[in-house]
């Protein structure tokens, strides 16, 4: 399911609330941003590394979502919302590298959504899918020669 514009706007408001807690004018803190989707309630919660809640919203579209792909849907929508707010996210007073991470209700990491580093911004880990196999094949070819 593709996220509606209203959902993207709701997610951007949540990300803005997180960014407001780390204004560029403050000393940089060491943390990542952990986002948790709760399928039963349609909530999105944001935490720092100490699991201190930064913000919480109810995503209307996720409120009665019954399909099994809620985390995939949330991943795509969150990546889109974060990409739309790239300048705000990258201006946050968090020591680099830092990332936005999606976790399930048990707190297990499901996806790295966005990585901010001085030289690298990672939007989609699918771009790297299969890289290990390609590198292994390349090394095997080198060793066979």
């Amino acid at each position: 399911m593709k996220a509606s514009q209203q959902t993207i706007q709701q997610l951007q408001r949540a990300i803005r609330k997180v960014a407001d807690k780390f204004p560029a004018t403050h000393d940089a803190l060491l943390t990542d941003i952990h986002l948790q989707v709760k399928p039963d309630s349609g909530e999105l919660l944001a935490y720092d590394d100490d699991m201190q809640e930064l913000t919480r919203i109810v995503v209307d579209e996720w409120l009665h979502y019954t399909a099994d792909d809620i985390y995939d849907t949330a991943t795509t929508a969150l990546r889109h919302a974060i990409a739309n707010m790239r300048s705000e996210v990258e201006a946050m007073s968090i020591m680099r590298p830092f990332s936005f991470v999606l976790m399930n209700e048990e707190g297990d990491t499901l996806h790295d959504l966005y990585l901010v580093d001085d030289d690298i911004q990672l939007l989609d880990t699918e771009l790297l899918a299969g890289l290990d196999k390609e590198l292994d094949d390349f090394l095997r070819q080198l060793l066979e020669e």
Side-chain angles (χ1 to χ4, degrees):
M1 177 179 146
K2 185 177 179 190
S4 68
Q5 188 59 33
Q6 178 185 358
T7 296
I8 299 298
Q9 289 173 349
Q10 285 180 303
L11 297 174
Q12 287 175 323
R13 278 194 294 274
I15 294 164
R16 190 166 290 112
K17 287 180 184 180
V18 170
D20 288 346
K21 297 196 186 255
F22 301 98
T25 57
H26 285 77
D27 291 336
L29 299 173
L30 180 61
T31 192
D32 287 319
I33 306 300
H34 303 270
L35 302 173
Q36 183 178 48
V37 173
K38 294 197 171 191
D40 295 340
S41 62
E43 288 180 298
L44 173 72
L45 295 95
Y47 300 99
D48 63 13
D49 279 340
D50 296 325
M51 296 312 287
Q52 297 297 312
E53 187 176 309
L54 301 171
T55 193
R56 165 190 305 240
I57 65 164
V58 174
V59 179
D60 297 334
E61 200 170 275
W62 297 346
L63 200 53
H64 302 290
Y65 195 84
T66 56
D68 292 337
D69 67 343
I70 183 66
Y71 294 113
D72 294 332
T73 299
T75 297
T76 302
L78 286 163
R79 284 182 175 151
H80 184 75
I82 293 169
N84 287 347
M85 301 183 64
R86 185 176 179 173
S87 60
E88 289 176 68
V89 166
E90 292 181 6
M92 293 170 57
S93 60
I94 299 178
M95 293 177 102
R96 294 173 189 237
F98 72 91
S99 60
F100 282 76
V101 177
L102 180 66
M103 60 185 191
N104 62 15
E105 288 185 286
E106 291 79 34
D108 300 324
T109 297
L110 300 174
H111 299 285
D112 287 323
L113 300 171
Y114 191 78
L115 171 70
V116 179
D117 198 350
D118 289 333
D119 298 321
I120 301 171
Q121 286 81 36
L122 178 63
L123 278 173
D124 190 356
T125 56
E126 296 304 313
L127 295 173
L128 301 176
L131 183 62
D132 285 341
K133 183 184 179 324
E134 288 179 29
L135 290 173
D136 289 343
D137 291 345
F138 176 73
L139 182 59
R140 188 172 29 267
Q141 284 177 341
L142 284 177
L143 294 173
E144 289 174 357
E145 293 179 3

